[in-house]
Amino acid sequence: MKARILVSFKDSVLDPQGQAVRNALHTLGYEPIRDVRQGKVFDLELGGISRTEAERLLPEVAAKVLANVVIEKYTWQILED
Amino acid sequence: MKARILVSFKDSVLDPQGQAVRNALHTLGYEPIRDVRQGKVFDLELGGISRTEAERLLPEVAAKVLANVVIEKYTWQILED
Amino acid sequence: MKFGVVVFPGSNCDADAYHAFKDALGQPTTYLWHKDHDLRGVDCVILPGGFSYGDYLRSGAIARFSPLMREVREFAGKGGLVLGICNGFQVLLELNLLPGAMLRNKRLKFLCQYVTIRVENDKTPFTRKGTKGRVLRIPIAHFDGNWYAPLETVKEVEGNGQVVFRYCDSEGRLTEESNINGSLNAVAGLMNKEGNVMGMMPHPERAVESILGSEDGLVVLHSLLENIS
Amino acid sequence: MNTLHDDAVLARHNLTRGEYDLIAKLIGREPNLTELGIFSAMWSEHCSYKSSKVFLKDLPTKAPNVVQGPGENAGIIDIGEGRVIVFKIESHNHPSYIEPFQGAATGVGGILRDIFTMGARPVALMDSLRFGPLDNPKNRSIMEGVVSGISSYGNSIGVPTVGGEVYFDECYSLNPLVNVFCLGLAEKDKIFYAKTEAPGNAILYVGAKTGRDGIHGASMASQEFGEDTEAKRPNVQVGDPFKEKLLVEACLEVMERRIIVGIQDMGAAGLTCSTTEMPAKSGNGVEIDLDLVPQREKGMTPYEILLSESQERMLIAARPDQVAAVKEAFAKWDLDAVEIGKVTDGGRLTCRFHGKIIVDVPVSAVVDLCPAYNRPWKEPEIPARRRSGATIPLPKDSNDILRRLLSSPTIANKEWVYRQYDHMVQTNTALLPGAGAAVLRIRGSKKGLAMTLDGNGRYAALDPRTGGKAAVAEACRNLACVGARPIGVTNCLNFGNPEKPEVMGQFKAAVEGLSQACKAFGIAVTGGNVSFYNETEGIAIDPTPVLGIVGLLEDIDRVVTPGFKASGDTVILLGENTEEFGGSEYLEAVGSISGGAPPEVDLDREIAVQETLLEAISEGLVRSANDPSEGGLAVCAAECAFHSPGKIGFELDFSEDLRPDAILFGESQSRILLTVRPENAARVLEIAAKREVPAKVVGTTGGAALKIRVGGKLLVDLPAAEANRLWMDSIPKYFAATKSPS
Ligand SMILES: Nc1ncnc2c1ncn2[C@@H]1O[C@H](COP(=O)(O)OP(=O)(O)O)[C@@H](O)[C@H]1O
Ligand SMILES: [Mg+2]
């Protein structure tokens, strides 16, 4: 089974990396890119569990390990059974 | 318009971060997570261009700025008009 | 007084801390292996700087799951002294033994240089040899030292006097420029409410010998020595 | 008639028909494709030094303090008290152009392995960098990537990057140079070598798994691979400093406990290199089973497994009774140690794959019998040496020239670079970046270690022989300025295509120059690296020999720094100003052709000047010292002001009958600007006189301005603070655009 977890800063937290990317893009003339937020993506390969189990596992792993919930939020999805 | 670009190492390239995360998850008993690949996600806010223009812009920005195609691959999608 | 320096895979200031406590301070010091469940009867636990687990997920994020951290948590809960330096500070944040989180430095670059920090609270086991307002010259070396916490947390932390050090200029003034990494309220060192756990980004163990350029780190080391039980 | 592989296959393997026939003769039959790959890698320029060997023979490699000269992973010098230093420099130029961050990072990883594989703990890194001009965004992004790559690897592994150099020139735009130096400390009786010792010993593979990384692009034989293999096989590796940190600790532990007999890192040519070089040195062979090699990817061919350049791997030879203990030691650090074969007699490398022997070659043929070439070379044409009468007009405003020089990126302060490097970890750095050389204290000793990297491609382009000499002279001078005497040399020779006679001629001359200078200083070259083919679109870089020289301070408490210490000190110039402009930053700054001959290096004079300084330092007289290099005396003096607390200014006065711009900005060699308390000036002049070194008092420190008079006229008069700002801000300014709003 393939799954994906996205982790990014909460909206209330400043994202200087995203801003630096945006500035760099503007310098290169990519003006239409008004804003950039940068985050992390984790592509997971799961095995030996059911979809229901995966649906419990993914948010748990995201909240406990992959994201620091003081500053970050996450989303998850199962990509492929 | 909202768009998203995902950048990660090509499959054959070593991903030390993903490996470290996978090992940590195994130590914590999350055995079903067989493999992890870590990448970057860029959430973009676009303005002043059409969807067609965005469809040209996004892969260009991904290939030229956000990813180094020697070792990285990317995907992009428009999330919202 | 017996000190224990925790060694995580990827720690790289463990030997420096060991040297500082053992040789410069002249106290019995021992390494504590992250896979053990034994604090070897130390009076103070040091979480050293470095890149535990490569800092690959987030600084300090994976180290927090090390076996030994169970004992460290218990030790801290019982009032034991814990000092986290740099990566050790980051681990303490991830462990929730200290409030907040670290963001990347405001200019997005790793920074290695001397900074000046001001003692904000001299009634702590880590600073009783300092005087409030004293300016210390101590090096930093980090990528993620930009302390952040939600507004209420910041208020609480300030209200409790938990801020131990702030980045300042050489005269002790807080300026935009002297807040080198962009930390909220220029926080350079922070303790828990109970006052027995402190994290700081500057490296006191790098400033304990004149040949290396500063001995100001001794303020922290000597203060700890005052806590002999 | 050898016909198994056609010309196209040989071309892809960078082997000539002649070389191929020789291989067939050496192994008594035609090689199969995997064997061809092995020879191709080991007989490549990079591994075999086939073009450079004949010229490198000239280098002085012996001295009483040399424990190990060229030929091992790194050189070793005895520093007394039972200790040795292990050091070496390597280039990672091409990878750093393709992928600046990873290319530079893995360069650091590679040189570190060369050091700890010999039983030494790495204690210092330095980096010599060359980029194209910063007004080009592409060059900025290469520089940004390279610097963060070095910083990421070095900082993470916890080895301080204590020094280096950065130059900017158009010729490096398409071909940046990234040379990385590493130095380790070891106890003299605990050095390890790459040996297998005796048949029956086990061969263990430790560290990261093998993937399809970095298999030499030019020597790829695609027939054997599936369609998509090319795309799958990245030429740039990704470094894993965390894994290497574990590897350092585990390797040093098994060496300390002496539970292995030999060890070698897997660098260029990976498993092939280590499984042939190790037994070759012991007169043994090795038999391995490729199926046992830990693999990151599925379906790897023997060719790929043997030639992969995956990072963070080592090969160990251990006695059978030691194997269990080795495995346990690595397990402690969460690393695998896998027994993949054993040492044999008979001197052959045999590799088994899926039960069949697919490689069977004599290791000596692979390692030692690559033909050396005496390639045609053409003596470089040296511009006429002109000691006077530059044809450029005298500058109208010397202040303006000085401003321009101070803000030229090559001269400007490099803090933007070195503050991204942890230069203090391990708490030994007694002299931080900023001085001409870095200084480390040695725990448990009064002594200190100084080190520096130097090289000036522009000098070498104009006159390679002088360029080679000047690099040695300047490096030693930088050491002398902190109070150290040179004890050993490593070098990285960055050149163009050696098949061009002009390039070969440059190489030959540069090596002669540096060789001559090393001999004069009585120091041995213990190793180094040659990087050829630094060309893009047929345009070669300036020949760029980079010297890494290590020095010893007898008493670290006597270390001298460049910054003025107080107002009212006397400024003394050792050496002599001349009218030499060739290759100078000054000519560059006024937009003149950088033609002419570079400043002459008189080695006897050079040594006498340095000895004078060292003697004055040993008497405790010298308060600060700095040598004029790029930008000349004015820049040199300005730097002393900038490094002083509170930016102490100076007033200097020259009355020589020379063009004033030569005095201010000329780059004549063998000069040192030092300060002493006024009462000690006479003694310094006396020491100089004894050694027949020209020396004179040229002014005093103090005030808030940089002031220089020539022939009574105040030509330079700049507020120190303003000048300092130009010097500090120049490089950061170029990167301001990518800064985030704070
Ligand atoms: N790439 C670099 N990495 C680390 N330190 C550097 C680098 N480039 C320059 N430095 C430091 O900046 C200082 C000035 O360098 P440089 O101008 O080359 O000195 P010098 O002319 O005396 O050889 C030195 O201390 C040097 O180590
Ligand atoms: Mg230099």
Side-chain angles (χ1 to χ4, degrees), chain C residues 132-206:
Chain C
K132 190 167 162 50
R134 174 158 171 203
V135 174
L136 307 177
R137 206 174 143 263
I138 297 185
I140 55 164
H142 61 247
F143 215 146
D144 304 301
N146 181 349
W147 183 76
Y148 171 88
L151 199 60
E152 315 84 76
T153 311
V154 178
K155 269 199 209 134
E156 210 183 300
V157 160
E158 292 287 2
N160 297 335
Q162 286 173 245
V163 178
V164 184
F165 298 111
R166 281 184 227 276
Y167 300 105
C168 63
D169 68 10
S170 57
E171 310 295 322
R173 288 176 302 235
L174 306 182
T175 67
E176 168 98 34
E177 207 182 329
S178 64
N179 185 12
I180 188 91
N181 51 27
S183 283
L184 276 183
N185 294 8
V187 166
L190 190 68
M191 63 179 185
N192 61 354
K193 224 184 319 182
E194 295 73 24
N196 63 315
V197 177
M198 181 178 82
M200 61 189 294
M201 290 314 289
H203 287 266
E205 84 283 10
R206 293 188 182 187

Side-chain angles (χ1 to χ4, degrees), chain D residues 329-343:
Chain D
F330 278 84
K332 175 184 159 198
W333 292 100
D334 302 322
L335 293 169
D336 288 333
V338 181
E339 197 173 338
I340 59 166
K342 58 177 197 293
V343 181

